[in-house]
Protein backbone atom coordinates (compact mmCIF):
# COMPACT_ATOMS: atom_id res chain seq x y z
CA UNK A 1 0.00 0.00 0.00
CA UNK A 2 1.31 3.40 -0.94
CA UNK A 3 1.57 5.93 1.88
CA UNK A 4 0.88 9.29 0.27
CA UNK A 5 -1.04 12.14 1.91
CA UNK A 6 -2.08 15.63 0.89
CA UNK A 7 -1.53 18.14 3.69
CA UNK A 8 -2.71 21.70 4.23
CA UNK A 9 -1.67 23.97 7.09
CA UNK A 10 -3.78 26.73 8.72
CA UNK A 11 -2.92 30.12 7.26
CA UNK A 12 -1.20 28.59 4.22
CA UNK A 13 -3.39 28.38 1.09
CA UNK A 14 -1.09 25.80 -0.53
CA UNK A 15 -1.43 22.03 -0.44
CA UNK A 16 1.51 19.65 -0.15
CA UNK A 17 2.02 16.03 -1.20
CA UNK A 18 3.95 13.87 1.26
CA UNK A 19 5.12 10.47 0.02
CA UNK A 20 6.16 8.57 3.13
CA UNK A 21 7.71 5.66 1.23
CA UNK A 22 9.85 7.92 -0.98
CA UNK A 23 10.58 10.39 1.83
CA UNK A 24 9.49 13.37 -0.26
CA UNK A 25 7.38 16.44 0.43
CA UNK A 26 6.27 18.48 -2.58
CA UNK A 27 4.07 21.58 -2.99
CA UNK A 28 1.10 20.94 -5.27
CA UNK A 29 0.22 23.37 -8.03
CA UNK A 30 -2.76 23.59 -10.37
CA UNK A 31 -5.04 21.57 -8.08
CA UNK A 32 -8.24 20.56 -9.94
CA UNK A 33 -11.32 18.40 -9.54
CA UNK A 34 -12.39 17.00 -6.17
CA UNK A 35 -9.12 18.04 -4.54
CA UNK A 36 -9.74 21.65 -5.59
CA UNK A 37 -13.26 21.45 -4.15
CA UNK A 38 -11.89 20.09 -0.86
CA UNK A 39 -9.31 22.88 -0.81
CA UNK A 40 -12.05 25.49 -1.28
CA UNK A 41 -13.97 23.94 1.62
CA UNK A 42 -10.79 24.14 3.71
CA UNK A 43 -10.37 27.82 2.80
CA UNK A 44 -13.78 28.54 4.30
CA UNK A 45 -12.94 26.78 7.58
CA UNK A 46 -13.89 23.21 6.76
CA UNK A 47 -11.79 20.19 7.68
CA UNK A 48 -11.39 17.25 5.31
CA UNK A 49 -10.13 13.88 6.57
CA UNK A 50 -10.12 10.71 4.47
CA UNK A 51 -8.23 7.45 5.07
CA UNK A 52 -5.96 8.92 7.76
CA UNK A 53 -6.61 7.78 11.30
CA UNK A 54 -4.07 9.89 13.20
CA UNK A 55 -2.54 13.29 12.54
CA UNK A 56 -1.14 15.93 14.87
CA UNK A 57 0.48 19.23 13.99
CA UNK A 58 3.40 20.13 16.25
CA UNK A 59 5.66 23.15 16.38
CA UNK A 60 8.84 21.13 15.79
CA UNK A 61 10.09 17.57 15.41
CA UNK A 62 11.51 17.79 18.93
CA UNK A 63 7.97 18.22 20.28
CA UNK A 64 7.07 14.69 19.19
CA UNK A 65 9.45 13.04 21.65
CA UNK A 66 9.34 15.72 24.34
CA UNK A 67 6.26 14.42 26.17
CA UNK A 68 3.70 16.26 24.05
CA UNK A 69 1.03 13.68 24.89
CA UNK A 70 2.13 12.89 28.46
CA UNK A 71 -0.49 13.62 31.09
Amino acid sequence: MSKVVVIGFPGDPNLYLADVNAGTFTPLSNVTGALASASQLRASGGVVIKDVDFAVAVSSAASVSAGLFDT
Side-chain angles (χ1 to χ4, degrees), residues 1 5 7 9 14 17-19 23 40 46 48 50 56 58 62 67-68:
M1 176 172 114
V5 294
I7 302 170
F9 297 97
N14 299 308
L17 182 70
D19 185 329
Q40 288 175 343
V48 179
K50 182 177 180 180
V56 177
V58 293
L68 181 68

Side-chain angles (χ1 to χ4, degrees), residues 3-71:
K3 294 180 182 174
V4 178
V5 294
V6 175
I7 302 170
F9 297 97
D12 182 348
N14 299 308
L15 295 175
Y16 302 88
L17 182 70
D19 185 329
V20 175
N21 293 333
T24 58
F25 189 82
T26 310
L28 291 175
S29 59
N30 300 322
V31 176
T32 61
L35 188 55
S37 297
S39 186
Q40 288 175 343
L41 177 63
R42 177 178 79 100
S44 65
V47 176
V48 179
I49 300 170
K50 182 177 180 180
D51 295 332
V52 174
D53 63 5
F54 184 82
V56 177
V58 293
S59 58
S60 70
S63 300
V64 175
S65 60
L68 181 68
F69 294 105
D70 291 350
T71 56

